[in-house]
């Protein structure tokens, strides 16, 4: 054969031998073929299992999807190119055969609020917000207007409120609304929303699940009822994760439970330590006995697993003092995102809640002296030492 022909054919498309690789390889092929066209025809018709085109499915993604679905106890999962793609796909699937109306928790990830207000509402979806920690308000809102979907996060950001997911699921079922739960902050180690009555679960794989700050990805995990419509929608709109990212996410997820256990125990120690520090005005942590949702937390989360995020307010601080404190951090990384192996701190007023007006922020309880710490897997003594020296920078000189 000529060089041009060999350049296209040599080396590739060898049948695998008897040996099986211990981890799923990165399958980058965009399409697949079979010995007989008949077989491809049956795969296209979905009468036979198999791959035909990477927008539909891909062995690397399928392995990750099986892993995530298994962790959440779902019927199936779809790997998406980002957490936001996953939120968008889940909402589209939730509303497919229901009234185009979303009742959303009033504390949601910033970009999710943006998706609701700037994309879905202009497209004709009615969007209302409710305090999901107030069951009576939710019940009233569901009675007032036909609702296609109830959307919430297991642990809210950044004030870490925890709604009674099982009771909210009962209300959603009663109103024939699809319950979509973003479980990014809690992870399936703390709570599996599908087991509590949710229909669709969303993850930003970027955070705790992948966990190493090296890959962007998302997933929708579905119950049996919603899986086929969800998959049909994904096949058409193509939000799929690339195979390289699938590989990284899957590799990260293998250690997620170990990491999360450590992050949760570190966070318990950090929250207790911060609560006793004279420069700290207030600590927000779901494991605190005085947390407003403490009863729900004890009921839904396993003992000692309250998440790896601790938010806190610096006493008498404004933006300048917060900047001084954060600039003094040496170990804790000053970056957005959360759930990585390394501890990281974010200033919500500057980042996640930047687009929210100061007045609205005040109403949400997000003050100018609030910071959010994602506790990593480091030795907790080193995290505390870094906080201690950085908090020391807040003392006036000579004090
Ligand atoms: C980060 C995050 C998202 C969005 O995920 P991306 O991977 O950044 O697109 C959605 N929900 C929550 C709770 C998040 O923390």
């Amino acid at each position: 054969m000529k060089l041009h022909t060999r350049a296209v054919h040599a080396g590739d498309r060898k049948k695998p031998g008897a040996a099986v690789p211990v981890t799923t390889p990165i399958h980058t092929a965009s399409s697949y073929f079979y010995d007989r066209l008949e077989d491809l025809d049956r795969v296209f018709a979905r009468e036979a299992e198999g791959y035909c085109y990477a927008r539909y499915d891909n062995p690397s993604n399928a392995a990750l999807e099986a892993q995530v679905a298994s962790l959440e106890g779902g019927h199936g999962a779809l790997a998406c190119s980002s957490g936001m793609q996953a939120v968008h796909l889940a909402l589209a699937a939730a509303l497919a055969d229901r009234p185009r109306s979303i009742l959303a928790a009033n504390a949601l990830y910033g970009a999710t609020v943006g998706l609701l207000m700037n994309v879905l509402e202009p497209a004709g979806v009615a969007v209302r917000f409710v305090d999901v920690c107030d069951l009576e308000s939710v019940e009233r809102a569901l009675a007032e207007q036909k609702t296609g979907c109830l959307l919430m996060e297991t642990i809210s950001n950044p004030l870490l409120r925890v709604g009674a997911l099982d009771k909210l699921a009962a209300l959603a079922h009663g109103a024939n609304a699809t319950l979509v739960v973003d479980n990014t902050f809690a992870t399936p180690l703390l709570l599996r929303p599908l087991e509590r009555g949710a229909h669709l679960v969303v993850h930003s794989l970027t955070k705790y699940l992948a966990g190493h700050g090296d890959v962007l990805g998302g997933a929708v995990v579905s119950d049996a009822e919603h899986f086929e419509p969800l998959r049909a929608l994904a096949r058409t709109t193509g939000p799929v994760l690339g195979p390289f990212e699938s590989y990284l996410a899957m590799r990260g997820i293998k250690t997620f439970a170990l990491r999360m256990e450590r992050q949760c125990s570190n966070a318990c120690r950090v929250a207790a330590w911060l609560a006793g520090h004279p420069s700290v005005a207030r600590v927000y942590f779901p494991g605190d006995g005085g947390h407003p949702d403490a009863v729900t937390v004890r009921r839904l989360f396993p003992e000692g697993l309250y998440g790896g995020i601790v938010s806190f307010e610096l006493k008498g601080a404004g933006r300048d003092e917060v900047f001084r404190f954060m600039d003094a951090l040496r170990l804790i990384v000053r970056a957005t995102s959360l759930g990585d192996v390394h501890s990281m701190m974010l200033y919500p007023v500057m980042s996640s809640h930047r687009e929210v007006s100061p007045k609205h922020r005040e109403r949400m309880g997000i003050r100018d002296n609030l910071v959010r710490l994602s506790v990593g897997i480091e030795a907790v003594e080193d995290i505390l030492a870094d906080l201690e020296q950085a908090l020391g920078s807040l003392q006036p000189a000579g004090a």
Side-chain angles (χ1 to χ4, degrees):
M1 277 184 231
K2 303 270 193 218
L3 178 129
H4 294 76
T5 309
R6 281 186 279 122
V8 176
H9 289 278
D12 245 341
R13 297 184 291 280
K14 292 220 170 69
K15 288 261 163 67
V20 180
V22 296
T23 60
T24 304
I26 302 170
H27 291 269
T28 60
S30 53
S31 47
Y32 297 80
F33 67 94
Y34 297 81
D35 280 346
R36 300 172 330 137
L37 198 56
E38 181 70 31
D39 294 334
L40 183 58
D41 185 49
R42 294 184 60 229
V43 169
F44 269 120
R46 318 226 24 235
E47 293 161 10
E49 286 286 312
Y51 302 101
C52 53
Y53 188 57
R55 172 154 43 76
Y56 293 174
D57 40 24
N58 158 306
S60 302
N61 288 26
L64 168 67
E65 288 163 350
Q67 185 190 35
V68 176
S70 163
L71 292 175
E72 284 287 1
H75 175 83
L78 287 171
C80 300
S81 56
S82 70
M84 287 317 302
Q85 273 289 1
V87 175
H88 191 205
L89 178 66
L91 292 177
L95 295 180
D97 57 354
R98 285 191 166 79
R100 289 170 61 75
S101 161
I102 297 175
L103 183 62
N106 57 11
L108 286 173
Y109 183 71
T112 303
V113 177
L115 172 67
L116 293 171
M117 305 304 293
N118 306 330
V119 180
L120 296 178
E121 201 166 55
V125 177
V127 177
R128 290 167 301 148
F129 292 95
V130 70
D131 177 2
V132 292
C133 293
D134 176 356
L135 290 173
E136 278 175 27
S137 303
V138 176
E139 197 167 4
R140 217 175 312 121
L142 287 170
E144 268 166 22
Q145 192 176 324
K146 278 212 181 313
T147 304
C149 167
L150 177 61
L151 170 67
M152 64 179 288
E153 294 172 4
T154 325
I155 302 177
S156 81
N157 175 26
L159 297 180
L160 314 177
R161 296 295 303 267
V162 179
L165 187 51
D166 45 357
K167 297 180 182 170
L168 290 160
L171 293 178
H173 283 250
N176 194 26
T178 304
L179 177 58
V180 178
V181 178
D182 183 333
N183 202 30
T184 300
F185 271 47
T187 82
L189 185 71
L190 272 62
L191 188 77
R192 289 166 298 280
L194 294 169
E195 292 175 0
R196 305 282 182 167
H199 301 97
L200 294 163
V201 172
V202 165
H203 275 282
S204 169
L205 299 175
T206 319
K207 314 294 171 54
Y208 286 105
L209 289 185
H212 292 73
D214 57 4
V215 59
L216 192 79
V220 186
V221 191
S222 172
D223 64 3
E225 180 195 343
H226 291 82
F227 189 64
E228 280 314 316
L230 185 76
R231 182 148 70 175
L233 203 59
R235 284 179 152 221
T236 307
T237 58
V240 293
L241 189 63
F244 291 92
E245 286 77 9
S246 273
Y247 173 83
L248 278 174
M250 195 172 184
R251 182 184 161 103
I253 291 171
K254 289 176 198 283
T255 55
F256 116 84
L258 270 179
R259 287 185 277 105
M260 190 67 185
E261 278 167 7
R262 172 66 168 244
Q263 282 163 306
C264 287
S265 68
N266 277 357
C268 284
R269 289 276 302 277
V270 168
W273 183 87
L274 285 169
H277 197 284
S279 298
V280 174
R282 183 165 174 187
V283 177
Y284 299 84
F285 183 61
D288 280 344
H291 187 278
D293 311 311
V295 174
T296 302
V297 169
R298 301 287 149 154
R299 190 161 52 80
L300 295 181
F301 295 168
E303 176 80 36
L305 299 177
Y306 308 119
I309 308 287
V310 182
S311 296
F312 58 100
E313 291 172 355
L314 298 170
K315 201 170 274 177
R319 180 189 161 96
D320 289 351
E321 290 76 19
V322 169
F323 274 34
R324 181 138 52 86
F325 162 68
M326 287 183 63
D327 277 336
L329 295 167
R330 291 181 199 138
L331 178 77
I332 298 167
V333 181
R334 294 176 298 268
T336 189
S337 195
L338 59 113
D340 290 341
V341 285
H342 45 266
S343 294
M344 24 195 348
M345 191 179 287
L346 156 149
Y347 185 32
V349 167
M350 186 193 82
S351 48
S352 59
H353 291 71
R354 191 186 186 99
E355 307 300 329
V356 182
S357 73
K359 225 170 107 191
H360 190 193
R361 272 202 305 261
E362 182 67 31
R363 242 183 292 132
M364 294 169 83
I366 298 166
R367 306 203 174 90
D368 285 354
N369 63 347
L370 179 80
V371 294
R372 188 193 79 192
L373 173 63
S374 167
V375 182
I377 64 167
E378 302 97 335
V380 72
E381 295 80 3
D382 291 324
I383 300 170
L384 296 180
D386 195 33
L387 288 169
E388 169 104 80
Q389 65 81 22
L391 285 169
S393 75
L394 289 175
Q395 315 289 308

